[in-house]
Amino acid sequence: MTTHDPSQLESWEVLLFRAAQEMSLSEPQYVTIEDRYGQIEKILNTPDEPLLADAHVFVQGSVGLRTTTCPPPDAPKKLATIDADAIVWLPNAAHATGLEVLQALERRLTAGTRVTAKVEQLRRGVRIVYADERPGFHIDVTPARNAHRNVDTHGHGQLLVADRHAGWKDSSPRPYSLWLQEVSDEVITVARPELLRKQHMVVAKASQEDMPDYDDYIDANPLRAAIKLLKRNRDLWAMRENRIDDRPISAVITTLATKAYESVVARSRNAPMQPIEALLALVDAMPQFIRGSRGTYQVLNPRNLDENFAEKWNRPNGEGDAYAAAFYAWHAAAKADIRLGLQDLGSADAFETRMNERFGVPRTLIKGVLETLPGTLPGRALGTTQRSLTLAKLLGAGATTTGVSTATAQSVGRLG
């Protein structure tokens, strides 16, 4: 790993973890989405649709994984809403076709939400759009039944999700969520353990509730912070490059980041590192966990090897190539962006502009964090600190901004 100024590493670490918090849902937003989840099961509880009898709704996707982010600033319509997901487990749909189930679900949700929300068709479910909220959000509702020989209830174990074209497709959302929780509970071996103890970086055990508490969602876990940063960076990259339709999906990013985190934790046992170093290594390692090549790419659910999150990459007639190419192009940019604070961008304005472009972080937040940092500032030359800049102003334009603060640079000792 490249050697960096330790105080700048810590400064960049503080800002990145604070940025991950900033792009997270606020507590009122989280409570509103939680309320809408509760309404879905009430709407489905009707005798009008036998296929939906005894339906059980549970959270999946980024809300369940605690990696949901708010839309980036100035996002176009496709990226301007908070994305939430739910599975509807159907114990009475064993003999129905996927299309029959999807049609029944659409009829019921359309009737039950026609006053408050719009219902749209998806290939594997129905989207309920709550456009009147600020920011708006949608819940993608996917119907599922047990896979063959799965005798578990309430969506545990291997499932089949309805698909308008393929009938039913393999999926294991609950085991996948538990896998991510298990991995995120693994602790990096750090060179300075007191840093983690002070900041409570080790998260609590997985919640058994359908939706985790807000305090659990907002935790400063390194893996979840990394996933939030990468997803926001992905969206802004897609906006800049006009690649919104083929941008890497969150399931691919989350799976590769989690597998990479596993490998980084193992490496840290022999070579202790700081959380920021683990984050850099995690991003670098992500492509190592992609299997196959053109037409046979695999990013598999480790708890269900029949579920391939990269299946779009394998579409025929060149369609899949765009998805694979988009991932590798984004990842190359993300590797550079995650090191943004370790470069010398020449001025505070240049750094703030680039940070805003790459992670959508408000300038006010950046300025506020930088004012608290005693060490070398992110995005500046070695030894450029708040103290050196202040002294330079006092001494006049002829004073240098380096050399003044190197001796006084302190360890930050916190992660945002």
Side-chain angles (χ1 to χ4, degrees):
M1 182 175 289
T2 304
T3 301
H4 297 285
D5 170 22
S7 73
Q8 189 174 53
L9 268 175
E10 290 185 9
S11 296
W12 182 225
E13 182 176 90
V14 169
L15 183 56
L16 275 181
F17 275 87
R18 183 65 184 86
Q21 267 196 333
E22 172 68 20
M23 62 188 64
S24 301
L25 302 183
S26 68
E27 187 166 7
Q29 290 168 340
Y30 195 81
V31 169
T32 298
I33 294 174
E34 187 175 29
D35 176 69
R36 298 299 186 271
Y37 270 112
Q39 291 180 11
I40 292 173
E41 190 160 9
K42 293 177 183 177
I43 291 169
L44 297 179
N45 187 19
T46 173
D48 297 345
E49 298 287 353
L51 288 177
L52 306 182
D54 300 318
H56 178 70
V57 180
F58 63 92
V59 177
Q60 75 142 353
S62 60
V63 173
L65 299 173
R66 311 176 201 173
T67 58
T68 309
T69 57
C70 289
D74 303 318
K77 184 177 180 180
K78 286 187 176 180
L79 297 178
T81 57
I82 297 168
D83 183 12
D85 300 272
I87 292 286
V88 179
W89 177 73
L90 302 173
N92 296 297
H95 303 294
T97 66
L99 185 58
E100 288 171 339
V101 167
L102 287 165
Q103 290 172 341
L105 181 66
E106 184 177 355
R107 285 193 299 267
R108 185 67 207 119
L109 289 177
T110 299
T113 62
R114 61 179 178 268
V115 176
T116 59
K118 181 175 67 172
V119 175
E120 301 173 349
Q121 286 187 358
L122 299 174
R123 175 168 174 166
R124 295 181 184 172
V126 171
R127 174 169 292 173
I128 309 174
V129 182
Y130 300 95
D132 292 340
E133 303 290 343
R134 292 292 180 270
F137 68 91
H138 63 261
I139 300 179
D140 292 344
V141 185
T142 302
R145 71 186 191 195
N146 279 10
H148 183 56
R149 294 180 180 173
N150 178 13
V151 296
D152 291 335
T153 62
H154 295 83
H156 291 277
Q158 188 170 345
L159 304 179
L160 299 173
V161 297
D163 187 294
R164 294 183 191 278
H165 304 306
W168 295 93
K169 295 285 289 185
D170 287 284
S171 185
S172 296
R174 282 194 186 275
Y176 179 84
S177 181
L178 289 173
W179 167 70
L180 186 139
Q181 177 64 50
E182 291 167 2
V183 175
S184 67
D185 279 347
E186 295 184 16
V187 181
I188 301 163
T189 303
V190 295
R192 293 173 54 203
E194 73 276 5
L195 217 54
L196 290 188
R197 285 198 295 270
K198 288 180 181 178
Q199 297 305 314
H200 308 291
M201 294 295 293
V202 182
V203 300
K205 296 299 182 182
S207 170
Q208 296 302 306
E209 298 298 317
D210 281 348
M211 194 162 172
D213 291 337
Y214 183 75
D215 287 344
D216 291 330
Y217 161 75
I218 203 66
D219 68 44
N221 176 270
L223 174 58
R224 291 196 179 93
I227 292 170
K228 291 178 183 179
L229 290 164
L230 290 170
K231 287 166 59 177
R232 170 62 68 82
N233 179 266
R234 178 267 322 263
D235 287 344
L236 291 167
W237 172 86
M239 290 164 58
R240 290 195 310 274
E241 301 296 326
N242 194 27
R243 302 193 71 167
I244 292 173
D245 290 337
D246 56 10
R247 71 191 187 281
I249 64 172
S250 296
V252 166
I253 292 174
T254 300
T255 302
L256 295 177
T258 304
K259 289 185 175 182
Y261 182 76
E262 280 187 297
S263 70
V264 170
V265 169
R267 284 167 49 191
S268 75
R269 295 181 185 124
N270 295 320
M273 60 182 73
Q274 296 305 113
I276 182 61
E277 295 172 317
L279 178 57
L280 301 179
L282 178 159
V283 176
D284 289 349
M286 287 170 65
Q288 298 175 19
F289 301 95
I290 299 170
R291 300 292 177 256
S293 57
R294 188 184 184 195
T296 62
Y297 285 113
Q298 293 182 334
V299 178
L300 301 180
N301 178 344
R303 293 296 181 261
N304 183 350
L305 299 184
D306 292 323
E307 185 173 14
N308 182 12
F309 297 126
E311 61 181 354
K312 287 183 179 180
W313 300 16
N314 301 322
R315 289 181 176 175
N317 303 319
E319 182 183 356
D321 294 343
Y323 291 102
F327 172 82
Y328 285 107
W330 163 73
H331 181 261
K335 283 179 62 176
D337 293 341
I338 208 69
R339 290 172 167 79
L340 187 63
L342 306 179
Q343 305 170 25
D344 178 11
L345 298 180
S347 70
D349 183 69
F351 172 70
E352 290 166 17
T353 298
R354 190 73 65 85
M355 184 72 180
N356 179 266
E357 289 174 350
R358 282 359 189 214
F359 295 99
V361 183
R363 284 177 176 267
T364 52
L365 182 140
I366 299 171
K367 291 178 184 294
V369 173
L370 296 186
E371 288 173 357
T372 69
L373 302 176
T376 297
L377 296 172
R380 305 301 299 275
L382 178 66
T384 303
T385 66
Q386 287 292 351
R387 185 172 185 273
S388 73
L389 294 174
T390 300
L391 288 175
K393 287 181 181 179
L394 292 173
L395 296 173
T400 62
T401 60
T402 58
V404 178
S405 64
T406 304
T408 61
Q410 301 288 324
S411 173
V412 175
R414 62 187 182 88
L415 298 179

PDB file of all heavy atoms in Angstrom, residues 138-151:
ATOM      1  N   HIS A 138     -39.848   5.489  -3.643  1.00  0.00           N
ATOM      2  CA  HIS A 138     -40.688   4.411  -4.153  1.00  0.00           C
ATOM      3  C   HIS A 138     -40.315   3.112  -3.460  1.00  0.00           C
ATOM      4  O   HIS A 138     -39.184   2.961  -2.982  1.00  0.00           O
ATOM      5  CB  HIS A 138     -40.561   4.274  -5.676  1.00  0.00           C
ATOM      6  CG  HIS A 138     -39.181   3.912  -6.141  1.00  0.00           C
ATOM      7  ND1 HIS A 138     -38.279   4.840  -6.621  1.00  0.00           N
ATOM      8  CD2 HIS A 138     -38.542   2.720  -6.200  1.00  0.00           C
ATOM      9  CE1 HIS A 138     -37.154   4.243  -6.962  1.00  0.00           C
ATOM     10  NE2 HIS A 138     -37.287   2.943  -6.710  1.00  0.00           N
ATOM     11  N   ILE A 139     -41.281   2.221  -3.384  1.00  0.00           N
ATOM     12  CA  ILE A 139     -41.034   0.882  -2.846  1.00  0.00           C
ATOM     13  C   ILE A 139     -41.307  -0.123  -3.956  1.00  0.00           C
ATOM     14  O   ILE A 139     -42.411  -0.182  -4.504  1.00  0.00           O
ATOM     15  CB  ILE A 139     -41.933   0.584  -1.629  1.00  0.00           C
ATOM     16  CG1 ILE A 139     -41.668   1.593  -0.507  1.00  0.00           C
ATOM     17  CG2 ILE A 139     -41.681  -0.843  -1.119  1.00  0.00           C
ATOM     18  CD1 ILE A 139     -42.538   1.393   0.728  1.00  0.00           C
ATOM     19  N   ASP A 140     -40.292  -0.886  -4.313  1.00  0.00           N
ATOM     20  CA  ASP A 140     -40.441  -1.963  -5.288  1.00  0.00           C
ATOM     21  C   ASP A 140     -40.870  -3.225  -4.553  1.00  0.00           C
ATOM     22  O   ASP A 140     -40.123  -3.744  -3.710  1.00  0.00           O
ATOM     23  CB  ASP A 140     -39.131  -2.204  -6.039  1.00  0.00           C
ATOM     24  CG  ASP A 140     -38.771  -1.044  -6.951  1.00  0.00           C
ATOM     25  OD1 ASP A 140     -39.658  -0.215  -7.241  1.00  0.00           O
ATOM     26  OD2 ASP A 140     -37.598  -0.958  -7.374  1.00  0.00           O
ATOM     27  N   VAL A 141     -42.070  -3.687  -4.847  1.00  0.00           N
ATOM     28  CA  VAL A 141     -42.661  -4.829  -4.145  1.00  0.00           C
ATOM     29  C   VAL A 141     -42.563  -6.061  -5.037  1.00  0.00           C
ATOM     30  O   VAL A 141     -43.126  -6.085  -6.131  1.00  0.00           O
ATOM     31  CB  VAL A 141     -44.129  -4.543  -3.785  1.00  0.00           C
ATOM     32  CG1 VAL A 141     -44.699  -5.686  -2.948  1.00  0.00           C
ATOM     33  CG2 VAL A 141     -44.262  -3.226  -3.040  1.00  0.00           C
ATOM     34  N   THR A 142     -41.841  -7.067  -4.570  1.00  0.00           N
ATOM     35  CA  THR A 142     -41.590  -8.280  -5.354  1.00  0.00           C
ATOM     36  C   THR A 142     -42.279  -9.468  -4.699  1.00  0.00           C
ATOM     37  O   THR A 142     -41.994  -9.786  -3.538  1.00  0.00           O
ATOM     38  CB  THR A 142     -40.084  -8.559  -5.455  1.00  0.00           C
ATOM     39  OG1 THR A 142     -39.437  -7.427  -6.051  1.00  0.00           O
ATOM     40  CG2 THR A 142     -39.812  -9.805  -6.284  1.00  0.00           C
ATOM     41  N   PRO A 143     -43.183 -10.152  -5.418  1.00  0.00           N
ATOM     42  CA  PRO A 143     -43.819 -11.341  -4.848  1.00  0.00           C
ATOM     43  C   PRO A 143     -42.909 -12.557  -4.947  1.00  0.00           C
ATOM     44  O   PRO A 143     -42.152 -12.711  -5.913  1.00  0.00           O
ATOM     45  CB  PRO A 143     -45.072 -11.514  -5.711  1.00  0.00           C
ATOM     46  CG  PRO A 143     -44.702 -10.913  -7.030  1.00  0.00           C
ATOM     47  CD  PRO A 143     -43.736  -9.795  -6.738  1.00  0.00           C
ATOM     48  N   ALA A 144     -42.988 -13.430  -3.944  1.00  0.00           N
ATOM     49  CA  ALA A 144     -42.118 -14.606  -3.907  1.00  0.00           C
ATOM     50  C   ALA A 144     -42.847 -15.778  -3.267  1.00  0.00           C
ATOM     51  O   ALA A 144     -43.783 -15.598  -2.478  1.00  0.00           O
ATOM     52  CB  ALA A 144     -40.830 -14.293  -3.133  1.00  0.00           C
ATOM     53  N   ARG A 145     -42.411 -16.962  -3.610  1.00  0.00           N
ATOM     54  CA  ARG A 145     -42.902 -18.180  -2.967  1.00  0.00           C
ATOM     55  C   ARG A 145     -41.702 -19.056  -2.644  1.00  0.00           C
ATOM     56  O   ARG A 145     -40.580 -18.812  -3.120  1.00  0.00           O
ATOM     57  CB  ARG A 145     -43.858 -18.930  -3.889  1.00  0.00           C
ATOM     58  CG  ARG A 145     -43.192 -19.581  -5.088  1.00  0.00           C
ATOM     59  CD  ARG A 145     -44.200 -20.198  -6.046  1.00  0.00           C
ATOM     60  NE  ARG A 145     -43.540 -21.030  -7.059  1.00  0.00           N
ATOM     61  CZ  ARG A 145     -44.130 -21.444  -8.179  1.00  0.00           C
ATOM     62  NH1 ARG A 145     -45.379 -21.095  -8.440  1.00  0.00           N
ATOM     63  NH2 ARG A 145     -43.461 -22.193  -9.043  1.00  0.00           N
ATOM     64  N   ASN A 146     -41.912 -20.074  -1.862  1.00  0.00           N
ATOM     65  CA  ASN A 146     -40.815 -20.973  -1.507  1.00  0.00           C
ATOM     66  C   ASN A 146     -40.317 -21.736  -2.726  1.00  0.00           C
ATOM     67  O   ASN A 146     -41.110 -22.160  -3.576  1.00  0.00           O
ATOM     68  CB  ASN A 146     -41.266 -21.976  -0.445  1.00  0.00           C
ATOM     69  CG  ASN A 146     -41.233 -21.385   0.951  1.00  0.00           C
ATOM     70  OD1 ASN A 146     -41.044 -20.189   1.116  1.00  0.00           O
ATOM     71  ND2 ASN A 146     -41.423 -22.222   1.954  1.00  0.00           N
ATOM     72  N   ALA A 147     -39.002 -21.914  -2.793  1.00  0.00           N
ATOM     73  CA  ALA A 147     -38.430 -22.793  -3.801  1.00  0.00           C
ATOM     74  C   ALA A 147     -38.721 -24.249  -3.427  1.00  0.00           C
ATOM     75  O   ALA A 147     -39.119 -24.549  -2.291  1.00  0.00           O
ATOM     76  CB  ALA A 147     -36.929 -22.560  -3.909  1.00  0.00           C
ATOM     77  N   HIS A 148     -38.491 -25.137  -4.377  1.00  0.00           N
ATOM     78  CA  HIS A 148     -38.736 -26.564  -4.150  1.00  0.00           C
ATOM     79  C   HIS A 148     -37.943 -27.047  -2.944  1.00  0.00           C
ATOM     80  O   HIS A 148     -36.775 -26.733  -2.773  1.00  0.00           O
ATOM     81  CB  HIS A 148     -38.332 -27.343  -5.401  1.00  0.00           C
ATOM     82  CG  HIS A 148     -38.612 -28.811  -5.323  1.00  0.00           C
ATOM     83  ND1 HIS A 148     -39.866 -29.315  -5.056  1.00  0.00           N
ATOM     84  CD2 HIS A 148     -37.791 -29.888  -5.476  1.00  0.00           C
ATOM     85  CE1 HIS A 148     -39.808 -30.638  -5.045  1.00  0.00           C
ATOM     86  NE2 HIS A 148     -38.561 -31.004  -5.298  1.00  0.00           N
ATOM     87  N   ARG A 149     -38.592 -27.779  -2.071  1.00  0.00           N
ATOM     88  CA  ARG A 149     -38.011 -28.380  -0.865  1.00  0.00           C
ATOM     89  C   ARG A 149     -37.726 -27.372   0.248  1.00  0.00           C
ATOM     90  O   ARG A 149     -37.182 -27.759   1.290  1.00  0.00           O
ATOM     91  CB  ARG A 149     -36.736 -29.162  -1.192  1.00  0.00           C
ATOM     92  CG  ARG A 149     -36.988 -30.387  -2.063  1.00  0.00           C
ATOM     93  CD  ARG A 149     -35.693 -31.128  -2.370  1.00  0.00           C
ATOM     94  NE  ARG A 149     -35.951 -32.311  -3.208  1.00  0.00           N
ATOM     95  CZ  ARG A 149     -35.001 -33.068  -3.737  1.00  0.00           C
ATOM     96  NH1 ARG A 149     -33.730 -32.776  -3.501  1.00  0.00           N
ATOM     97  NH2 ARG A 149     -35.306 -34.114  -4.489  1.00  0.00           N
ATOM     98  N   ASN A 150     -38.052 -26.136   0.077  1.00  0.00           N
ATOM     99  CA  ASN A 150     -37.919 -25.172   1.163  1.00  0.00           C
ATOM    100  C   ASN A 150     -39.198 -25.195   1.986  1.00  0.00           C
ATOM    101  O   ASN A 150     -40.265 -24.811   1.503  1.00  0.00           O
ATOM    102  CB  ASN A 150     -37.685 -23.762   0.610  1.00  0.00           C
ATOM    103  CG  ASN A 150     -37.594 -22.713   1.716  1.00  0.00           C
ATOM    104  OD1 ASN A 150     -37.462 -23.042   2.897  1.00  0.00           O
ATOM    105  ND2 ASN A 150     -37.672 -21.448   1.335  1.00  0.00           N
ATOM    106  N   VAL A 151     -39.101 -25.630   3.233  1.00  0.00           N
ATOM    107  CA  VAL A 151     -40.279 -25.725   4.096  1.00  0.00           C
ATOM    108  C   VAL A 151     -40.303 -24.604   5.134  1.00  0.00           C
ATOM    109  O   VAL A 151     -41.153 -24.597   6.032  1.00  0.00           O
ATOM    110  CB  VAL A 151     -40.326 -27.096   4.810  1.00  0.00           C
ATOM    111  CG1 VAL A 151     -40.477 -28.224   3.801  1.00  0.00           C
ATOM    112  CG2 VAL A 151     -39.073 -27.305   5.672  1.00  0.00           C
TER     113      VAL A 151
END
